[in-house]
């Protein structure tokens, strides 16, 4: 199932690439795919295949969603697992959550910024977050922007 999904998306990308040779691709994966060897069967996702086949692999680095008792330990373990794969940190984007959907509340901007600083400190090159709620002003751009501005953008690898 994992390989069938992979082939389908790669075939679709090949069709688009005929007219858009600069196409950049990404595959979104649950964090458990990197952390638990049994998770590939549960989700039909593979970190090895995603790193091999896509420009970027976007990992859902979401401690609250995963109900992790210690967000710092969860993120540290996720980075360590990705680092074990050749090119893992160069081609992975770590997606943080700015909303705790289970508790239906926005996470404090300072907490999100601390997670970003932790990930950058662990060697992560690419990160993002969502959702961005402009109507409520969350997360607070004044808190998040300095963290993001402190890290230069890296060029996107060729497909």
């Amino acid at each position: 199932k994992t390989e069938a999904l992979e082939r389908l998306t790669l075939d679709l990308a090949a069709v688009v690439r005929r007219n858009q040779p600069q196409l950049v691709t990404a595959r979104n994966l649950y964090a458990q795919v990197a952390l638990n060897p049994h998770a590939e069967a549960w989700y039909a996702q593979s970190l090895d295949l995603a790193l091999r086949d896509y420009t970027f692999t976007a990992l859902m680095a979401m401690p609250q969603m995963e109900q992790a008792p210690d967000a710092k330990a969860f993120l540290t373990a996720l980075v360590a697992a990705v680092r074990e794969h050749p090119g893992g940190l160069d081609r992975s984007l770590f997606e943080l959550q700015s909303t705790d959907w289970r508790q239906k509340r926005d996470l404090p901007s300072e907490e999100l910024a601390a997670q970003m600083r932790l990930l950058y400190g662990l060697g992560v090159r690419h990160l993002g977050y969502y959702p961005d709620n402009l109507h409520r002003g969350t997360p607070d751009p004044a808190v998040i922007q300095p963290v993001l501005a402190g890290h230069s953008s890296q060029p996107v690898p060729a497909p």
Side-chain angles (χ1 to χ4, degrees):
K1 194 157 117 178
T2 304
E3 291 185 19
L5 287 170
E6 203 81 4
R7 277 192 308 275
L8 173 66
T9 59
L10 293 174
D11 289 347
L12 292 170
V15 170
V16 173
R17 198 168 270 123
R18 285 186 220 139
N19 293 314
Q20 308 244 348
Q22 74 284 4
L23 179 70
V24 173
T25 59
R27 174 80 194 263
N28 200 54
L29 301 180
Y30 287 105
Q32 289 303 315
V33 174
L35 295 169
N36 185 331
H38 303 291
E40 180 178 342
W42 306 335
Y43 299 115
Q45 298 178 338
S46 165
L47 180 57
D48 286 325
L49 293 179
L51 288 169
R52 181 191 75 192
D53 294 336
Y54 301 96
T55 312
F56 285 102
T57 298
L59 291 147
M60 297 170 73
M62 303 179 176
Q64 291 79 9
M65 188 179 81
E66 295 282 344
Q67 299 181 19
D70 181 341
K72 184 177 178 180
F74 170 81
L75 294 171
T76 301
L78 182 58
V79 171
V82 173
R83 182 180 278 116
E84 291 178 12
H85 298 264
L89 290 181
D90 292 333
R91 300 200 35 238
S92 293
L93 179 132
F94 289 73
E95 297 175 296
L96 295 168
Q97 65 186 106
S98 62
T99 298
D100 184 338
W101 296 287
R102 292 181 189 280
Q103 296 188 18
K104 298 180 177 145
R105 68 176 181 92
D106 294 323
L107 295 176
S109 299
E110 293 77 12
E111 183 177 339
L112 181 60
Q115 290 178 355
M116 290 175 166
R117 282 191 293 276
L118 171 67
L119 291 173
Y120 280 137
L122 293 170
V124 167
R125 294 181 59 198
H126 312 285
L127 65 80
Y129 68 89
Y130 72 94
D132 202 15
N133 192 319
L134 300 174
H135 300 290
R136 289 196 308 264
T138 59
D140 183 350
V143 174
I144 300 303
Q145 192 275 337
V147 179
L148 295 174
H151 292 80
S152 63
S153 297
Q154 300 294 325
V156 175

